[in-house]
Amino acid sequence: MGSTPDKTLLLGGSAVVVLVGLHCLPGHGGVNPVHGWLSEYPLRSVEVGAPYALALLSGNLATVRSGIAMARHGLLRGWPAKALLGAWCTSLLALTVFLKDPAGSAGTWYGEVHKLATMANFACLPALCALLWWRFRTAPPWRRNARTVGVLAALHVACAVPFAAAFLVHSNDAGVAGEALGLIERGIVAIDIWTIATLTRWSRAMQDRGDQPAGRAQTARHSWPARRYSLRWWAAKRSPFQRRVETVRWSPSASIRL
């Protein structure tokens, strides 16, 4: 339990168990376990809202820890991949802090923030999967992993696009549209969990294989300023006369050789 992978697994597993447990409560916590929106739990009561918020925070922390390992092991190379995962975690935190407007109520500013966070949450993770698929689709060791995250990105978009379109129009409706959105939302959450688990397993496979990006020292050594202003460059630029003068200056016995 003391290692980082074990702690990450504990945090993520606890979040999943709590979310599943909320659906098994007597009366399901006041939310329909199939069609009700997950974001309705904090609006029902503190008894179900607090575990729901803690589950989201626990899952978010697990994703952050896993993302740090992904960047260290070489899966998240470059700022676009890191920014997409960071934006996904930030949007999940916003969904935890800013609650959804109750059904049938007038819109509020925090409800609008919840909408924007939902859109960002639905966009960032499939975009990250598409980016990783594009980068590793031709890499011999990781073609299968790239194909898997590509399929996950397609599944995510297939669920997120109709959800986002209906959510912006029927976010405060309790009719058929709302029930359909609740079902799609659960599918998206399941795909999110599957995606994070897949990326974590891929990152650990990279660690075991040793496919890590070049370190800072190696990058700096091959960078243009390091090459231009290295001692070897200056030595090559000096004329033979300059090298002979420096030999005389710094070596007491050099004048005898001259």
Side-chain angles (χ1 to χ4, degrees):
M1 299 297 292
S3 63
T4 298
D6 289 339
K7 291 181 179 179
T8 303
L9 180 61
L10 176 63
L11 289 170
S14 300
V16 174
V17 170
V18 171
L19 290 178
V20 173
L22 290 176
H23 292 72
C24 301
L25 290 174
H28 310 293
V31 180
N32 188 298
V34 178
H35 300 291
W37 295 1
L38 294 175
S39 52
E40 290 284 340
Y41 280 110
L43 304 178
R44 298 300 179 179
S45 64
V46 178
E47 289 75 10
V48 297
Y52 174 80
L54 291 176
L56 293 187
L57 291 175
S58 179
N60 202 354
L61 181 57
T63 303
V64 171
R65 293 173 63 92
S66 181
I68 294 174
M70 293 177 196
R72 185 184 302 117
H73 300 157
L75 180 58
L76 301 183
R77 302 178 183 179
W79 68 265
K82 299 174 184 176
L84 286 173
L85 185 60
W88 188 86
C89 294
T90 303
S91 64
L92 183 59
L93 180 61
L95 290 174
T96 308
V97 176
F98 300 98
L99 301 182
K100 167 188 173 295
D101 290 326
S105 64
T108 59
W109 66 269
Y110 54 84
E112 295 300 321
V113 173
H114 186 90
K115 287 183 180 181
L116 294 176
T118 301
M119 299 300 102
N121 190 266
F122 287 172
C124 292
L125 202 56
L128 174 61
C129 290
L131 177 61
L132 295 179
W133 167 79
W134 180 262
R135 284 183 176 178
F136 294 95
R137 71 190 188 284
T138 57
W142 311 120
R143 289 178 181 174
R144 179 176 299 179
N145 301 80
R147 190 181 305 113
T148 301
V149 296
V151 172
L152 289 174
L155 291 176
H156 202 295
V157 171
C159 294
V161 169
F163 182 96
F167 179 76
L168 293 175
V169 179
H170 303 284
S171 59
N172 293 332
D173 294 344
V176 177
E179 294 182 355
L181 290 180
L183 182 60
I184 298 175
E185 184 183 27
R186 282 165 173 77
I188 293 176
V189 171
I191 295 174
D192 286 345
I193 296 173
W194 186 6
T195 300
I196 296 299
T198 300
L199 295 179
T200 302
R201 185 168 59 251
W202 187 359
S203 174
R204 293 181 182 177
M206 279 190 165
Q207 181 187 19
D208 296 338
R209 187 181 177 87
D211 289 358
Q212 299 184 12
R216 292 184 178 180
Q218 183 178 359
T219 303
R221 184 171 65 249
H222 293 285
S223 62
W224 179 83
R227 291 198 308 268
R228 180 170 179 79
Y229 297 109
S230 62
L231 293 178
R232 182 177 299 178
W233 183 86
W234 285 111
K237 288 295 182 181
R238 290 178 302 171
S239 64
F241 176 75
Q242 289 176 323
R243 289 196 295 269
R244 181 59 60 88
V245 171
E246 289 183 1
T247 303
V248 175
R249 181 180 303 170
W250 297 109
S251 178
S253 61
S255 59
I256 299 177
R257 291 199 301 271
L258 289 175

